[in-house]
Amino acid sequence: DQQVKQNSPSLSVQEGRISILNCDYTNSMFDYFLWYKKYPAEGPTFLISISSIKDKNEDGRFTVFLNKSAKHLSLHIVPSQPGDSAVYFCAASDKGTYKYIFGTGTRLKVLA
Amino acid sequence: GAVVSQHPSWVICKSGTSVKIECRSLDFQATTMFWYRQFPKQSLMLMATSNEGSKATYEQGVEKDKFLINHASLTLSTLTVTSAHPEDSSFYICSAGLAGLYEQYFGPGTRLTVT
């Protein structure tokens, strides 16, 4: 079963606008969440993370929101830039194992 | 962030042969290393977790006799794909971390093609 899901396989956004990528999880033991950006045939690049004791974390153009009751997190990118075009993965971890369970990915395309 | 390298970056091998992939943490001593596999247009799937000096823990459905993992030092882990078959063709990515911490630092990946 897929414990971490990204229900939108793709998303297109105009340059300068906000990109919102969503992620849902089922395991209530997850207590740390991350977002990664990935290009084909490359390793993932860390973007931002959030602990379950917070509901928001911000780093420059990237903000992650966590709604624990809904088991949902989202990544906001504003303003979106063409260089943001890539596949974005959310990942979840728990204090027992520190393993990452990755979501299914969302391909973001930012149109110039 | 910390730097993790993988070697080789890509490899082509014939069916039935074995291939070794190295993962090195270049600027810190990694107590834990993780191995992932990614098939085209799919997610990264964790294969195994290895702690330095002990046997790797494999995820359900991953054959430990086929994917041999060695983590003999704090800076090097190796994944050996034994008797490779075309269905093992994939993108293999390692990451390195420290025990008790969430952060993992990812390598650039290795593309394996089995003909």
Side-chain angles (χ1 to χ4, degrees):
Chain A
D1 68 359
Q2 189 71 38
Q3 297 186 68
V4 182
K5 285 184 186 176
Q6 294 173 251
N7 290 318
S8 298
S10 64
L11 175 69
S12 290
V13 171
Q14 208 65 36
E15 181 180 7
R17 298 292 192 107
I18 184 171
S19 295
I20 300 176
L21 296 97
N22 294 302
C23 179
D24 296 294
Y25 61 96
T26 57
N27 190 340
S28 58
M29 297 299 292
F30 290 144
D31 57 5
Y32 196 77
F33 304 88
L34 311 97
W35 283 95
Y36 284 86
K37 175 181 177 181
K38 191 178 181 302
Y39 297 107
E42 292 186 15
T45 301
F46 170 75
L47 291 173
I48 193 167
S49 62
I50 188 166
S51 163
S52 60
I53 62 172
K54 293 185 171 183
D55 53 21
K56 177 183 174 181
N57 189 25
E58 206 170 340
D59 185 0
R61 297 187 297 117
F62 303 96
T63 303
V64 56
F65 294 91
L66 176 62
N67 182 332
K68 288 186 290 294
S69 60
K71 294 192 178 69
H72 176 85
L73 64 153
S74 61
L75 174 68
H76 292 209
I77 306 173
V78 57
S80 301
Q81 300 172 352
D84 295 329
S85 298
V87 178
Y88 288 76
F89 289 96
C90 63
S93 185
D94 67 82
K95 199 171 293 183
T97 67
Y98 297 97
K99 299 189 298 188
Y100 286 3
I101 305 300
F102 279 89
T104 44
T106 297
R107 181 176 301 277
L108 173 66
K109 190 170 184 179
V110 180
L111 307 168
Chain B
V3 180
V4 175
S5 70
Q6 280 184 242
H7 178 80
S9 54
W10 60 270
V11 57
I12 301 173
C13 70
K14 291 190 175 178
S15 189
T17 61
S18 295
V19 174
K20 181 184 283 188
I21 302 170
E22 291 185 351
C23 176
R24 292 182 185 273
S25 59
L26 299 183
D27 52 4
F28 77 107
Q29 295 188 321
T31 50
T32 307
M33 286 188 171
F34 302 87
W35 286 94
Y36 297 83
R37 179 168 56 182
Q38 185 186 27
F39 291 109
K41 299 190 178 182
Q42 293 190 25
S43 185
L44 286 78
M45 300 300 294
L46 179 65
M47 298 174 67
T49 303
S50 76
N51 293 298
E52 186 264 339
S54 59
K55 286 185 179 179
T57 303
Y58 290 81
E59 294 299 302
Q60 193 172 9
V62 178
E63 299 174 60
K64 61 181 179 183
D65 294 330
K66 181 169 186 60
F67 298 100
L68 302 179
I69 292 172
N70 183 280
H71 190 171
S73 79
L74 289 171
T75 60
L76 173 65
S77 176
T78 60
L79 167 67
T80 302
V81 183
T82 62
S83 186
H85 290 284
E87 57 265 30
D88 298 323
S89 298
S90 187
F91 192 62
Y92 293 86
I93 308 171
C94 72
S95 70
L98 294 169
L101 296 180
Y102 289 108
E103 288 75 15
Q104 292 181 27
Y105 302 95
F106 284 84
T110 296
R111 164 82 55 203
L112 169 63
T113 301
V114 184
T115 60

